[in-house]
Structures are given as C-alpha cells and as structure tokens.
PDB file of all heavy atoms in Angstrom:
ATOM      1  N   GLU X1457       0.819  -1.183  -0.034  1.00 93.00           N
ATOM      2  CA  GLU X1457      -0.018  -0.039  -0.011  1.00 93.00           C
ATOM      3  C   GLU X1457       0.924   1.266  -0.017  1.00 93.00           C
ATOM      4  O   GLU X1457       2.030   1.209   0.505  1.00 93.00           O
ATOM      5  CB  GLU X1457      -0.940   0.038   1.227  1.00 93.00           C
ATOM      6  CG  GLU X1457      -0.240   0.273   2.505  1.00 93.00           C
ATOM      7  CD  GLU X1457      -1.213   0.486   3.712  1.00 93.00           C
ATOM      8  OE1 GLU X1457      -2.396   0.399   3.475  1.00 93.00           O
ATOM      9  OE2 GLU X1457      -0.706   0.702   4.827  1.00 93.00           O
ATOM     10  N   HIS X1458       0.310   2.276  -0.535  1.00 90.00           N
ATOM     11  CA  HIS X1458       0.965   3.614  -0.448  1.00 90.00           C
ATOM     12  C   HIS X1458      -0.106   4.666  -0.023  1.00 90.00           C
ATOM     13  O   HIS X1458      -1.056   4.928  -0.672  1.00 90.00           O
ATOM     14  CB  HIS X1458       1.475   3.964  -1.848  1.00 90.00           C
ATOM     15  CG  HIS X1458       2.061   5.390  -1.996  1.00 90.00           C
ATOM     16  ND1 HIS X1458       1.960   6.180  -3.037  1.00 90.00           N
ATOM     17  CD2 HIS X1458       2.787   6.030  -1.072  1.00 90.00           C
ATOM     18  CE1 HIS X1458       2.510   7.346  -2.821  1.00 90.00           C
ATOM     19  NE2 HIS X1458       3.084   7.235  -1.620  1.00 90.00           N
ATOM     20  N   ILE X1459       0.254   5.205   1.190  1.00 89.00           N
ATOM     21  CA  ILE X1459      -0.602   6.239   1.721  1.00 89.00           C
ATOM     22  C   ILE X1459      -0.014   7.612   1.305  1.00 89.00           C
ATOM     23  O   ILE X1459       1.241   7.768   1.454  1.00 89.00           O
ATOM     24  CB  ILE X1459      -0.802   6.116   3.225  1.00 89.00           C
ATOM     25  CG1 ILE X1459      -1.467   4.730   3.534  1.00 89.00           C
ATOM     26  CG2 ILE X1459      -1.602   7.303   3.813  1.00 89.00           C
ATOM     27  CD1 ILE X1459      -1.560   4.480   5.014  1.00 89.00           C
ATOM     28  N   ASP X1460      -0.825   8.569   0.936  1.00 85.00           N
ATOM     29  CA  ASP X1460      -0.300   9.885   0.456  1.00 85.00           C
ATOM     30  C   ASP X1460       0.568  10.534   1.529  1.00 85.00           C
ATOM     31  O   ASP X1460       0.135  10.560   2.699  1.00 85.00           O
ATOM     32  CB  ASP X1460      -1.526  10.769   0.171  1.00 85.00           C
ATOM     33  CG  ASP X1460      -1.078  11.980  -0.648  1.00 85.00           C
ATOM     34  OD1 ASP X1460      -0.081  11.863  -1.342  1.00 85.00           O
ATOM     35  OD2 ASP X1460      -1.758  12.967  -0.516  1.00 85.00           O
ATOM     36  N   GLY X1461       1.728  10.914   1.018  1.00 84.00           N
ATOM     37  CA  GLY X1461       2.647  11.523   1.997  1.00 84.00           C
ATOM     38  C   GLY X1461       3.625  10.627   2.777  1.00 84.00           C
ATOM     39  O   GLY X1461       4.426  11.112   3.531  1.00 84.00           O
ATOM     40  N   GLN X1462       3.464   9.320   2.524  1.00 88.00           N
ATOM     41  CA  GLN X1462       4.300   8.329   3.200  1.00 88.00           C
ATOM     42  C   GLN X1462       4.926   7.426   2.127  1.00 88.00           C
ATOM     43  O   GLN X1462       4.385   7.261   1.032  1.00 88.00           O
ATOM     44  CB  GLN X1462       3.491   7.485   4.185  1.00 88.00           C
ATOM     45  CG  GLN X1462       2.769   8.246   5.256  1.00 88.00           C
ATOM     46  CD  GLN X1462       2.004   7.329   6.160  1.00 88.00           C
ATOM     47  OE1 GLN X1462       2.191   6.152   6.185  1.00 88.00           O
ATOM     48  NE2 GLN X1462       1.015   7.968   6.859  1.00 88.00           N
ATOM     49  N   PRO X1463       6.044   6.812   2.436  1.00 91.00           N
ATOM     50  CA  PRO X1463       6.630   5.885   1.514  1.00 91.00           C
ATOM     51  C   PRO X1463       5.692   4.583   1.428  1.00 91.00           C
ATOM     52  O   PRO X1463       5.104   4.226   2.426  1.00 91.00           O
ATOM     53  CB  PRO X1463       7.998   5.576   2.065  1.00 91.00           C
ATOM     54  CG  PRO X1463       7.867   5.844   3.519  1.00 91.00           C
ATOM     55  CD  PRO X1463       6.855   7.002   3.635  1.00 91.00           C
ATOM     56  N   ALA X1464       5.653   3.994   0.232  1.00 91.00           N
ATOM     57  CA  ALA X1464       4.983   2.731   0.118  1.00 91.00           C
ATOM     58  C   ALA X1464       5.579   1.641   0.914  1.00 91.00           C
ATOM     59  O   ALA X1464       6.777   1.699   1.199  1.00 91.00           O
ATOM     60  CB  ALA X1464       4.921   2.320  -1.355  1.00 91.00           C
ATOM     61  N   ARG X1465       4.777   0.658   1.259  1.00 92.00           N
ATOM     62  CA  ARG X1465       5.301  -0.408   2.182  1.00 92.00           C
ATOM     63  C   ARG X1465       4.584  -1.714   1.743  1.00 92.00           C
ATOM     64  O   ARG X1465       3.480  -1.709   1.296  1.00 92.00           O
ATOM     65  CB  ARG X1465       5.101  -0.233   3.632  1.00 92.00           C
ATOM     66  CG  ARG X1465       3.640  -0.066   4.072  1.00 92.00           C
ATOM     67  CD  ARG X1465       3.530  -0.100   5.548  1.00 92.00           C
ATOM     68  NE  ARG X1465       2.065  -0.047   5.932  1.00 92.00           N
ATOM     69  CZ  ARG X1465       1.659  -0.446   7.078  1.00 92.00           C
ATOM     70  NH1 ARG X1465       2.442  -0.929   8.007  1.00 92.00           N
ATOM     71  NH2 ARG X1465       0.334  -0.420   7.428  1.00 92.00           N
ATOM     72  N   VAL X1466       5.254  -2.858   2.026  1.00 92.00           N
ATOM     73  CA  VAL X1466       4.768  -4.135   1.802  1.00 92.00           C
ATOM     74  C   VAL X1466       3.958  -4.567   2.980  1.00 92.00           C
ATOM     75  O   VAL X1466       4.561  -4.518   4.100  1.00 92.00           O
ATOM     76  CB  VAL X1466       5.836  -5.148   1.314  1.00 92.00           C
ATOM     77  CG1 VAL X1466       5.201  -6.609   1.358  1.00 92.00           C
ATOM     78  CG2 VAL X1466       6.451  -4.786   0.085  1.00 92.00           C
ATOM     79  N   LEU X1467       2.689  -5.050   2.804  1.00 93.00           N
ATOM     80  CA  LEU X1467       1.920  -5.530   3.954  1.00 93.00           C
ATOM     81  C   LEU X1467       2.118  -7.075   4.164  1.00 93.00           C
ATOM     82  O   LEU X1467       2.011  -7.469   5.300  1.00 93.00           O
ATOM     83  CB  LEU X1467       0.447  -5.299   3.656  1.00 93.00           C
ATOM     84  CG  LEU X1467       0.072  -3.758   3.489  1.00 93.00           C
ATOM     85  CD1 LEU X1467      -1.427  -3.661   3.157  1.00 93.00           C
ATOM     86  CD2 LEU X1467       0.424  -2.978   4.726  1.00 93.00           C
ATOM     87  N   GLY X1468       2.480  -7.774   3.192  1.00 93.00           N
ATOM     88  CA  GLY X1468       2.621  -9.177   3.364  1.00 93.00           C
ATOM     89  C   GLY X1468       2.452  -9.897   2.017  1.00 93.00           C
ATOM     90  O   GLY X1468       2.473  -9.288   0.933  1.00 93.00           O
ATOM     91  N   VAL X1469       2.307 -11.246   2.136  1.00 94.00           N
ATOM     92  CA  VAL X1469       2.273 -12.101   0.864  1.00 94.00           C
ATOM     93  C   VAL X1469       1.045 -13.068   0.962  1.00 94.00           C
ATOM     94  O   VAL X1469       0.762 -13.568   2.027  1.00 94.00           O
ATOM     95  CB  VAL X1469       3.619 -12.906   0.807  1.00 94.00           C
ATOM     96  CG1 VAL X1469       3.643 -13.759  -0.466  1.00 94.00           C
ATOM     97  CG2 VAL X1469       4.770 -11.981   0.863  1.00 94.00           C
ATOM     98  N   VAL X1470       0.428 -13.226  -0.199  1.00 93.00           N
ATOM     99  CA  VAL X1470      -0.647 -14.201  -0.268  1.00 93.00           C
ATOM    100  C   VAL X1470       0.016 -15.488  -0.841  1.00 93.00           C
ATOM    101  O   VAL X1470       0.672 -15.462  -1.887  1.00 93.00           O
ATOM    102  CB  VAL X1470      -1.823 -13.676  -1.196  1.00 93.00           C
ATOM    103  CG1 VAL X1470      -2.914 -14.712  -1.268  1.00 93.00           C
ATOM    104  CG2 VAL X1470      -2.335 -12.399  -0.747  1.00 93.00           C
ATOM    105  N   HIS X1471      -0.283 -16.580  -0.246  1.00 92.00           N
ATOM    106  CA  HIS X1471       0.268 -17.943  -0.674  1.00 92.00           C
ATOM    107  C   HIS X1471      -0.782 -18.556  -1.605  1.00 92.00           C
ATOM    108  O   HIS X1471      -1.881 -18.912  -1.171  1.00 92.00           O
ATOM    109  CB  HIS X1471       0.565 -18.790   0.509  1.00 92.00           C
ATOM    110  CG  HIS X1471       1.176 -20.121   0.115  1.00 92.00           C
ATOM    111  ND1 HIS X1471       1.446 -21.045   1.026  1.00 92.00           N
ATOM    112  CD2 HIS X1471       1.450 -20.667  -1.037  1.00 92.00           C
ATOM    113  CE1 HIS X1471       1.952 -22.098   0.555  1.00 92.00           C
ATOM    114  NE2 HIS X1471       1.955 -21.879  -0.799  1.00 92.00           N
ATOM    115  N   LEU X1472      -0.416 -18.670  -2.885  1.00 87.00           N
ATOM    116  CA  LEU X1472      -1.181 -19.424  -3.843  1.00 87.00           C
ATOM    117  C   LEU X1472      -0.574 -20.790  -3.981  1.00 87.00           C
ATOM    118  O   LEU X1472       0.584 -20.907  -4.044  1.00 87.00           O
ATOM    119  CB  LEU X1472      -1.343 -18.728  -5.164  1.00 87.00           C
ATOM    120  CG  LEU X1472      -1.991 -17.353  -5.236  1.00 87.00           C
ATOM    121  CD1 LEU X1472      -1.928 -16.916  -6.697  1.00 87.00           C
ATOM    122  CD2 LEU X1472      -3.387 -17.427  -4.788  1.00 87.00           C
ATOM    123  N   LYS X1473      -1.501 -21.771  -4.131  1.00 81.00           N
ATOM    124  CA  LYS X1473      -0.884 -23.080  -4.468  1.00 81.00           C
ATOM    125  C   LYS X1473      -1.826 -23.938  -5.290  1.00 81.00           C
ATOM    126  O   LYS X1473      -3.064 -23.627  -5.320  1.00 81.00           O
ATOM    127  CB  LYS X1473      -0.666 -23.925  -3.163  1.00 81.00           C
ATOM    128  CG  LYS X1473      -1.957 -24.232  -2.367  1.00 81.00           C
ATOM    129  CD  LYS X1473      -1.625 -25.168  -1.120  1.00 81.00           C
ATOM    130  CE  LYS X1473      -1.089 -26.513  -1.603  1.00 81.00           C
ATOM    131  NZ  LYS X1473      -0.945 -27.458  -0.491  1.00 81.00           N
ATOM    132  N   ASP X1474      -1.289 -24.844  -5.985  1.00 77.00           N
ATOM    133  CA  ASP X1474      -2.057 -25.818  -6.785  1.00 77.00           C
ATOM    134  C   ASP X1474      -2.612 -26.833  -5.751  1.00 77.00           C
ATOM    135  O   ASP X1474      -1.901 -27.604  -5.092  1.00 77.00           O
ATOM    136  CB  ASP X1474      -1.179 -26.614  -7.754  1.00 77.00           C
ATOM    137  CG  ASP X1474      -0.968 -25.803  -9.028  1.00 77.00           C
ATOM    138  OD1 ASP X1474      -1.880 -25.071  -9.410  1.00 77.00           O
ATOM    139  OD2 ASP X1474       0.070 -25.962  -9.622  1.00 77.00           O
ATOM    140  N   VAL X1475      -3.942 -26.777  -5.540  1.00 77.00           N
ATOM    141  CA  VAL X1475      -4.597 -27.574  -4.522  1.00 77.00           C
ATOM    142  C   VAL X1475      -4.769 -29.029  -5.015  1.00 77.00           C
ATOM    143  O   VAL X1475      -5.416 -29.240  -5.985  1.00 77.00           O
ATOM    144  CB  VAL X1475      -5.918 -26.958  -4.135  1.00 77.00           C
ATOM    145  CG1 VAL X1475      -6.627 -27.860  -3.046  1.00 77.00           C
ATOM    146  CG2 VAL X1475      -5.734 -25.562  -3.569  1.00 77.00           C
ATOM    147  N   VAL X1476      -4.120 -29.961  -4.346  1.00 82.00           N
ATOM    148  CA  VAL X1476      -4.273 -31.376  -4.636  1.00 82.00           C
ATOM    149  C   VAL X1476      -5.623 -31.783  -4.270  1.00 82.00           C
ATOM    150  O   VAL X1476      -6.070 -31.515  -3.163  1.00 82.00           O
ATOM    151  CB  VAL X1476      -3.130 -32.163  -4.008  1.00 82.00           C
ATOM    152  CG1 VAL X1476      -3.381 -33.663  -4.223  1.00 82.00           C
ATOM    153  CG2 VAL X1476      -1.798 -31.721  -4.441  1.00 82.00           C
ATOM    154  N   LYS X1477      -6.235 -32.530  -5.146  1.00 80.00           N
ATOM    155  CA  LYS X1477      -7.677 -33.029  -4.948  1.00 80.00           C
ATOM    156  C   LYS X1477      -7.740 -33.930  -3.722  1.00 80.00           C
ATOM    157  O   LYS X1477      -6.776 -34.786  -3.494  1.00 80.00           O
ATOM    158  CB  LYS X1477      -8.185 -33.763  -6.143  1.00 80.00           C
ATOM    159  CG  LYS X1477      -8.357 -32.791  -7.332  1.00 80.00           C
ATOM    160  CD  LYS X1477      -9.056 -33.481  -8.543  1.00 80.00           C
ATOM    161  CE  LYS X1477      -9.339 -32.599  -9.625  1.00 80.00           C
ATOM    162  NZ  LYS X1477      -9.883 -33.201 -10.863  1.00 80.00           N
ATOM    163  N   ALA X1478      -8.797 -33.755  -2.925  1.00 79.00           N
ATOM    164  CA  ALA X1478      -8.890 -34.483  -1.705  1.00 79.00           C
ATOM    165  C   ALA X1478      -8.926 -35.996  -1.956  1.00 79.00           C
ATOM    166  O   ALA X1478      -9.569 -36.524  -2.860  1.00 79.00           O
ATOM    167  CB  ALA X1478     -10.213 -34.102  -0.980  1.00 79.00           C
ATOM    168  N   GLY X1479      -8.217 -36.789  -1.131  1.00 81.00           N
ATOM    169  CA  GLY X1479      -8.169 -38.208  -1.137  1.00 81.00           C
ATOM    170  C   GLY X1479      -7.357 -38.844  -2.168  1.00 81.00           C
ATOM    171  O   GLY X1479      -7.325 -40.158  -2.418  1.00 81.00           O
ATOM    172  N   ILE X1480      -6.635 -38.016  -3.063  1.00 83.00           N
ATOM    173  CA  ILE X1480      -5.928 -38.605  -4.173  1.00 83.00           C
ATOM    174  C   ILE X1480      -4.719 -39.364  -3.712  1.00 83.00           C
ATOM    175  O   ILE X1480      -4.390 -40.392  -4.456  1.00 83.00           O
ATOM    176  CB  ILE X1480      -5.583 -37.484  -5.118  1.00 83.00           C
ATOM    177  CG1 ILE X1480      -5.305 -38.050  -6.529  1.00 83.00           C
ATOM    178  CG2 ILE X1480      -4.343 -36.703  -4.683  1.00 83.00           C
ATOM    179  CD1 ILE X1480      -5.210 -37.003  -7.651  1.00 83.00           C
ATOM    180  N   ARG X1481      -4.093 -39.045  -2.645  1.00 87.00           N
ATOM    181  CA  ARG X1481      -2.933 -39.826  -2.179  1.00 87.00           C
ATOM    182  C   ARG X1481      -3.312 -41.286  -1.824  1.00 87.00           C
ATOM    183  O   ARG X1481      -2.679 -42.197  -2.188  1.00 87.00           O
ATOM    184  CB  ARG X1481      -2.337 -39.203  -0.979  1.00 87.00           C
ATOM    185  CG  ARG X1481      -0.983 -39.864  -0.568  1.00 87.00           C
ATOM    186  CD  ARG X1481      -0.378 -39.166   0.629  1.00 87.00           C
ATOM    187  NE  ARG X1481       0.994 -39.668   0.893  1.00 87.00           N
ATOM    188  CZ  ARG X1481       2.107 -39.198   0.371  1.00 87.00           C
ATOM    189  NH1 ARG X1481       2.026 -38.082  -0.415  1.00 87.00           N
ATOM    190  NH2 ARG X1481       3.248 -39.769   0.643  1.00 87.00           N
ATOM    191  N   GLU X1482      -4.534 -41.424  -1.171  1.00 85.00           N
ATOM    192  CA  GLU X1482      -4.946 -42.790  -0.862  1.00 85.00           C
ATOM    193  C   GLU X1482      -5.288 -43.611  -2.060  1.00 85.00           C
ATOM    194  O   GLU X1482      -5.046 -44.717  -2.168  1.00 85.00           O
ATOM    195  CB  GLU X1482      -6.188 -42.676   0.066  1.00 85.00           C
ATOM    196  CG  GLU X1482      -5.940 -42.102   1.476  1.00 85.00           C
ATOM    197  CD  GLU X1482      -5.733 -40.663   1.500  1.00 85.00           C
ATOM    198  OE1 GLU X1482      -6.072 -39.959   0.457  1.00 85.00           O
ATOM    199  OE2 GLU X1482      -5.187 -40.164   2.437  1.00 85.00           O
ATOM    200  N   ARG X1483      -5.763 -42.946  -3.128  1.00 81.00           N
ATOM    201  CA  ARG X1483      -6.104 -43.568  -4.337  1.00 81.00           C
ATOM    202  C   ARG X1483      -4.837 -44.040  -5.057  1.00 81.00           C
ATOM    203  O   ARG X1483      -4.805 -45.132  -5.586  1.00 81.00           O
ATOM    204  CB  ARG X1483      -6.929 -42.742  -5.260  1.00 81.00           C
ATOM    205  CG  ARG X1483      -8.289 -42.245  -4.667  1.00 81.00           C
ATOM    206  CD  ARG X1483      -9.184 -43.345  -4.166  1.00 81.00           C
ATOM    207  NE  ARG X1483      -9.673 -44.207  -5.135  1.00 81.00           N
ATOM    208  CZ  ARG X1483     -10.755 -44.014  -5.861  1.00 81.00           C
ATOM    209  NH1 ARG X1483     -11.454 -42.941  -5.677  1.00 81.00           N
ATOM    210  NH2 ARG X1483     -11.189 -44.867  -6.710  1.00 81.00           N
ATOM    211  N   PHE X1484      -3.820 -43.205  -4.983  1.00 85.00           N
ATOM    212  CA  PHE X1484      -2.547 -43.570  -5.652  1.00 85.00           C
ATOM    213  C   PHE X1484      -1.952 -44.778  -4.846  1.00 85.00           C
ATOM    214  O   PHE X1484      -1.262 -45.605  -5.483  1.00 85.00           O
ATOM    215  CB  PHE X1484      -1.630 -42.453  -5.688  1.00 85.00           C
ATOM    216  CG  PHE X1484      -1.975 -41.418  -6.729  1.00 85.00           C
ATOM    217  CD1 PHE X1484      -1.571 -40.113  -6.609  1.00 85.00           C
ATOM    218  CD2 PHE X1484      -2.641 -41.749  -7.832  1.00 85.00           C
ATOM    219  CE1 PHE X1484      -1.906 -39.155  -7.559  1.00 85.00           C
ATOM    220  CE2 PHE X1484      -3.018 -40.846  -8.791  1.00 85.00           C
ATOM    221  CZ  PHE X1484      -2.677 -39.510  -8.639  1.00 85.00           C
ATOM    222  N   ASP X1485      -2.083 -44.872  -3.562  1.00 85.00           N
ATOM    223  CA  ASP X1485      -1.585 -46.006  -2.758  1.00 85.00           C
ATOM    224  C   ASP X1485      -2.298 -47.292  -3.291  1.00 85.00           C
ATOM    225  O   ASP X1485      -1.697 -48.302  -3.368  1.00 85.00           O
ATOM    226  CB  ASP X1485      -1.884 -45.731  -1.261  1.00 85.00           C
ATOM    227  CG  ASP X1485      -0.936 -44.686  -0.678  1.00 85.00           C
ATOM    228  OD1 ASP X1485       0.097 -44.359  -1.378  1.00 85.00           O
ATOM    229  OD2 ASP X1485      -1.264 -44.107   0.361  1.00 85.00           O
ATOM    230  N   GLU X1486      -3.651 -47.145  -3.526  1.00 80.00           N
ATOM    231  CA  GLU X1486      -4.393 -48.304  -3.977  1.00 80.00           C
ATOM    232  C   GLU X1486      -3.826 -48.717  -5.394  1.00 80.00           C
ATOM    233  O   GLU X1486      -3.678 -49.962  -5.629  1.00 80.00           O
ATOM    234  CB  GLU X1486      -5.843 -47.920  -4.050  1.00 80.00           C
ATOM    235  CG  GLU X1486      -6.787 -49.131  -4.338  1.00 80.00           C
ATOM    236  CD  GLU X1486      -8.188 -48.756  -4.228  1.00 80.00           C
ATOM    237  OE1 GLU X1486      -8.518 -47.700  -3.667  1.00 80.00           O
ATOM    238  OE2 GLU X1486      -9.007 -49.534  -4.765  1.00 80.00           O
ATOM    239  N   LEU X1487      -3.548 -47.740  -6.267  1.00 80.00           N
ATOM    240  CA  LEU X1487      -3.006 -48.154  -7.537  1.00 80.00           C
ATOM    241  C   LEU X1487      -1.692 -48.823  -7.369  1.00 80.00           C
ATOM    242  O   LEU X1487      -1.415 -49.857  -8.132  1.00 80.00           O
ATOM    243  CB  LEU X1487      -2.780 -46.899  -8.447  1.00 80.00           C
ATOM    244  CG  LEU X1487      -4.068 -46.247  -9.026  1.00 80.00           C
ATOM    245  CD1 LEU X1487      -3.719 -44.810  -9.633  1.00 80.00           C
ATOM    246  CD2 LEU X1487      -4.618 -47.142 -10.117  1.00 80.00           C
ATOM    247  N   ARG X1488      -0.819 -48.402  -6.466  1.00 84.00           N
ATOM    248  CA  ARG X1488       0.422 -49.061  -6.225  1.00 84.00           C
ATOM    249  C   ARG X1488       0.259 -50.505  -5.810  1.00 84.00           C
ATOM    250  O   ARG X1488       0.937 -51.402  -6.214  1.00 84.00           O
ATOM    251  CB  ARG X1488       1.193 -48.249  -5.184  1.00 84.00           C
ATOM    252  CG  ARG X1488       2.725 -48.468  -5.149  1.00 84.00           C
ATOM    253  CD  ARG X1488       3.414 -47.564  -4.245  1.00 84.00           C
ATOM    254  NE  ARG X1488       3.332 -46.116  -4.788  1.00 84.00           N
ATOM    255  CZ  ARG X1488       2.641 -45.218  -4.253  1.00 84.00           C
ATOM    256  NH1 ARG X1488       1.908 -45.412  -3.144  1.00 84.00           N
ATOM    257  NH2 ARG X1488       2.629 -44.003  -4.795  1.00 84.00           N
ATOM    258  N   ARG X1489      -0.753 -50.741  -5.030  1.00 80.00           N
ATOM    259  CA  ARG X1489      -1.017 -52.139  -4.570  1.00 80.00           C
ATOM    260  C   ARG X1489      -1.496 -53.010  -5.708  1.00 80.00           C
ATOM    261  O   ARG X1489      -1.334 -54.232  -5.672  1.00 80.00           O
ATOM    262  CB  ARG X1489      -2.148 -52.102  -3.396  1.00 80.00           C
ATOM    263  CG  ARG X1489      -1.583 -51.650  -2.111  1.00 80.00           C
ATOM    264  CD  ARG X1489      -2.563 -51.947  -0.984  1.00 80.00           C
ATOM    265  NE  ARG X1489      -3.838 -51.195  -1.088  1.00 80.00           N
ATOM    266  CZ  ARG X1489      -4.087 -49.949  -0.637  1.00 80.00           C
ATOM    267  NH1 ARG X1489      -3.044 -49.355  -0.016  1.00 80.00           N
ATOM    268  NH2 ARG X1489      -5.258 -49.387  -0.840  1.00 80.00           N
ATOM    269  N   MET X1490      -2.084 -52.368  -6.622  1.00 78.00           N
ATOM    270  CA  MET X1490      -2.539 -53.097  -7.967  1.00 78.00           C
ATOM    271  C   MET X1490      -1.394 -53.302  -8.907  1.00 78.00           C
ATOM    272  O   MET X1490      -1.590 -53.900  -9.928  1.00 78.00           O
ATOM    273  CB  MET X1490      -3.675 -52.320  -8.659  1.00 78.00           C
ATOM    274  CG  MET X1490      -4.936 -52.227  -7.667  1.00 78.00           C
ATOM    275  SD  MET X1490      -6.157 -51.056  -8.297  1.00 78.00           S
ATOM    276  CE  MET X1490      -6.692 -51.843  -9.786  1.00 78.00           C
ATOM    277  N   GLY X1491      -0.200 -52.808  -8.557  1.00 82.00           N
ATOM    278  CA  GLY X1491       0.996 -53.002  -9.410  1.00 82.00           C
ATOM    279  C   GLY X1491       1.059 -51.976 -10.537  1.00 82.00           C
ATOM    280  O   GLY X1491       1.717 -52.165 -11.468  1.00 82.00           O
ATOM    281  N   ILE X1492       0.390 -50.823 -10.367  1.00 86.00           N
ATOM    282  CA  ILE X1492       0.435 -49.776 -11.374  1.00 86.00           C
ATOM    283  C   ILE X1492       1.307 -48.621 -10.913  1.00 86.00           C
ATOM    284  O   ILE X1492       1.198 -48.110  -9.813  1.00 86.00           O
ATOM    285  CB  ILE X1492      -0.994 -49.222 -11.626  1.00 86.00           C
ATOM    286  CG1 ILE X1492      -1.881 -50.383 -12.171  1.00 86.00           C
ATOM    287  CG2 ILE X1492      -0.992 -48.081 -12.665  1.00 86.00           C
ATOM    288  CD1 ILE X1492      -3.299 -49.995 -12.327  1.00 86.00           C
TER     289      ILE X1492
END
C-alpha cells in the first residue's frame, strides 16, 4: 500500500498453491497395490 505523503510499504504475501484433490494420495496408494 501507498498512503499519500508516506513511503509505500509491503503488507505481506498471499500464498497461492495448486490444490491437490482430496483423497488422491490414498487412491494412488491403491493403484500401487494393484501394481500400477
């Protein structure tokens, strides 16, 4: 942000991420048990 009459400043950072679909790790474990 930059307020008039003051130097601009950083307030912080927003963390964006590729959200892994829920339960997918367990399904991949099942595929591994099937030999895939």
Side-chain angles (χ1 to χ4, degrees):
E1457 70 172 0
H1458 176 217
I1459 298 176
D1460 193 26
Q1462 301 178 18
R1465 64 170 183 157
V1466 173
L1467 300 177
V1469 183
V1470 180
H1471 182 181
L1472 295 181
K1473 67 173 293 187
D1474 280 327
V1475 179
V1476 173
K1477 293 184 177 181
I1480 200 166
R1481 187 180 188 91
E1482 291 74 18
R1483 303 305 296 273
F1484 286 154
D1485 289 340
E1486 188 174 346
L1487 282 169
R1488 199 171 293 109
R1489 287 193 294 272
M1490 296 168 68
I1492 298 174

